[in-house]
Amino acid sequence: RVWTDCSKASGFTAIDALENSTPAIVVLGQSLNPDGSTPATLLERAEAAASLHLSTASRPPIIATGGDTAGTGTSEAEVMRKLLRELGVPDAKIILEPRAKNTLQNAWESVPMLPKGCDEIFLVTSDFHMPRSAYLFEAVFASKDLNISVVQHPARSGCQAVQATSEQQSDKSGVSTINAQSAIVRARNEAHFIKHEVVQIGLLEHIPGVQIPALPQWRLELAQSQIQECMSQLR
């Protein structure tokens, strides 16, 4: 299996790979705000997925994955379907996965929805979220003996550049704590998750009744390197 980051590969784009495989686009959700409004992070992810789909002659299906993690009564997947439609993606090309409560479940629940013969997914999520997400998707595929490559197609974070003060956050009562965080704060949190929780907790506990084997150590180190690079670009 070859792991590819299209944003880094010289002379190679996600569109090139899409035209030479049986692919699907998988776009990950982000928790909604308490008032049910759409955070900028989720909008950026939807825009990146729609752009990739519409730029590809084969028009691969988009799996929008994300449950109702904020308890608003609407799943992240349903919100993404609305956004994708508005961005020009036909409803017939959108597949909803409305159950996942975390990133590992995004991967697990997406597997049955992949098109027959799928050998490559184009993973769309925020730049700061990509290193951990790619690792988890690859771990789930490996646990199921699926020879599916994960091509990373990171979206812009949509986060504010500077962390809001507590007073500023109180003025935004409709915005959840996580959606008020700056990009660098979210990246730092991701670095902590990758180093201390992905293998030790996430793979073992984030799917009830299922334990996913860890990937080789070099793959975890790659994820750690990627998030460090992301943080350096945000400073």
Side-chain angles (χ1 to χ4, degrees), residues 159-165 168-169 172 180-185 234:
C159 299
Q160 57 189 0
V162 180
Q163 182 69 17
T165 65
Q168 288 171 328
Q169 289 185 22
K172 299 178 179 179
Q181 290 176 345
S182 67
I184 188 63
V185 168
L234 290 170

Side-chain angles (χ1 to χ4, degrees), residues 34-58:
D35 61 2
S37 60
T38 304
T41 299
L42 188 58
L43 179 57
E44 292 284 1
R45 295 179 188 183
E47 288 179 345
S51 176
L52 183 57
H53 169 86
L54 296 170
S55 300
T56 309
S58 61

Side-chain angles (χ1 to χ4, degrees), residues 175-190:
V175 178
S176 65
T177 300
I178 191 169
N179 290 327
Q181 290 176 345
S182 67
I184 188 63
V185 168
R186 296 205 64 173
R188 286 173 182 160
N189 289 340
E190 287 293 323

Side-chain angles (χ1 to χ4, degrees), residues 10 25 49 204 217 231:
S10 177
I25 298 169
L204 303 180
Q217 180 63 25
M231 286 194 295

Side-chain angles (χ1 to χ4, degrees), residues 75-199:
S75 71
E76 297 157 24
E78 184 59 48
V79 171
M80 284 191 285
R81 175 163 66 179
K82 181 177 181 292
L83 292 171
L84 291 167
R85 283 171 170 170
E86 293 172 352
L87 291 163
V89 179
D91 194 55
K93 288 291 187 177
I94 304 170
I95 302 169
L96 293 191
E97 186 297 290
R99 295 175 296 278
K101 301 295 186 181
N102 56 57
T103 307
L104 190 64
Q105 290 183 23
N106 287 140
W108 183 266
E109 297 288 352
S110 293
V111 169
M113 301 180 178
L114 295 172
K116 184 178 181 180
C118 180
D119 56 6
E120 201 157 39
I121 70 156
F122 291 78
L123 185 61
V124 179
T125 190
S126 305
D127 47 10
F128 62 80
H129 188 226
M130 184 62 78
R132 179 165 62 100
S133 300
Y135 178 94
L136 293 175
F137 268 76
E138 290 164 16
V140 167
F141 291 162
S143 75
K144 293 177 173 288
D145 293 322
L146 296 173
N147 189 26
I148 300 175
S149 297
V150 177
V151 180
Q152 301 176 30
H153 191 71
R156 295 178 300 182
S157 72
C159 299
Q160 57 189 0
V162 180
Q163 182 69 17
T165 65
S166 57
E167 182 177 343
Q168 288 171 328
Q169 289 185 22
S170 67
D171 291 336
K172 299 178 179 179
S173 57
V175 178
S176 65
T177 300
I178 191 169
N179 290 327
Q181 290 176 345
S182 67
I184 188 63
V185 168
R186 296 205 64 173
R188 286 173 182 160
N189 289 340
E190 287 293 323
H192 174 85
F193 295 153
I194 293 168
K195 184 176 182 180
H196 299 290
E197 297 187 17
V198 163
V199 173

